[in-house]
Amino acid sequence: MGRCKQITEVFPHNYPFLKQPLPPCHDSAESMQVYKQHCQIAEEYHEVKREIALLEERKKELIAKLDQAEKEKVDAAQLVREFEALTEENRTLKLAQSQCVEQLEKLRIQYQKRQGSS
């Protein structure tokens, strides 16, 4: 009787989310078996709930990682667009610089010709 009573007292503390089972009738093997099955099922249920909680937490972590990866992907795409725009601007500026150098050289030549003819 002490062993069953101990199980009965421990049960609600381990599984507060389940109703406390009725204590078994110690004179009935079937009652004892049903009580033991109830305790075993409660343990399995508790383990499944714990696994679900762990998987839910893992799901949250994976969603956060996915969100971060998508944000980084968007950031990377934005950086690629900015790089392409800056590359084009750089090419345009180099072309403008080249044209300015040519104009400056032409102006120098014209200035030197004026100086030489004066």
Side-chain angles (χ1 to χ4, degrees):
M1 180 175 194
R3 181 176 179 186
C4 292
K5 184 173 179 161
Q6 183 180 25
I7 293 173
T8 304
E9 291 173 1
V10 170
F11 187 86
H13 297 293
N14 288 337
Y15 312 108
F17 50 87
L18 294 176
K19 287 185 178 180
Q20 180 175 357
L22 295 173
C25 176
H26 300 288
D27 297 334
S28 169
E30 183 181 7
S31 177
M32 294 294 290
Q33 182 63 29
V34 167
Y35 183 81
K36 286 179 184 178
Q37 286 176 344
H38 185 93
C39 291
Q40 183 180 1
I41 290 169
E43 286 180 34
E44 291 171 4
Y45 180 77
H46 176 69
E47 183 62 27
V48 167
K49 282 191 68 86
R50 191 178 72 75
E51 287 179 27
I52 289 171
L54 291 173
L55 290 171
E56 287 290 334
E57 188 62 32
R58 180 69 177 140
K59 177 183 169 184
K60 288 178 188 176
E61 291 171 7
L62 290 173
I63 287 172
K65 283 183 180 180
L66 179 62
D67 288 344
Q68 181 64 30
E70 287 176 357
K71 182 181 180 288
E72 288 173 1
K73 184 178 177 181
V74 168
D75 290 347
Q78 177 64 29
L79 289 173
V80 166
R81 286 191 296 274
E82 287 178 22
F83 176 78
E84 289 170 351
L86 290 172
T87 300
E88 179 60 26
E89 183 180 356
N90 188 32
R91 188 189 67 74
T92 303
L93 290 172
K94 284 182 179 180
L95 181 61
Q97 179 197 22
S98 173
Q99 291 171 348
C100 287
V101 167
E102 285 178 22
Q103 278 185 328
L104 179 62
E105 189 59 34
K106 288 178 184 177
L107 289 173
R108 281 187 185 148
I109 293 171
Q110 286 178 359
Y111 181 73
Q112 287 175 352
K113 285 181 182 178
R114 284 187 193 161
Q115 289 292 341
S117 62
S118 317

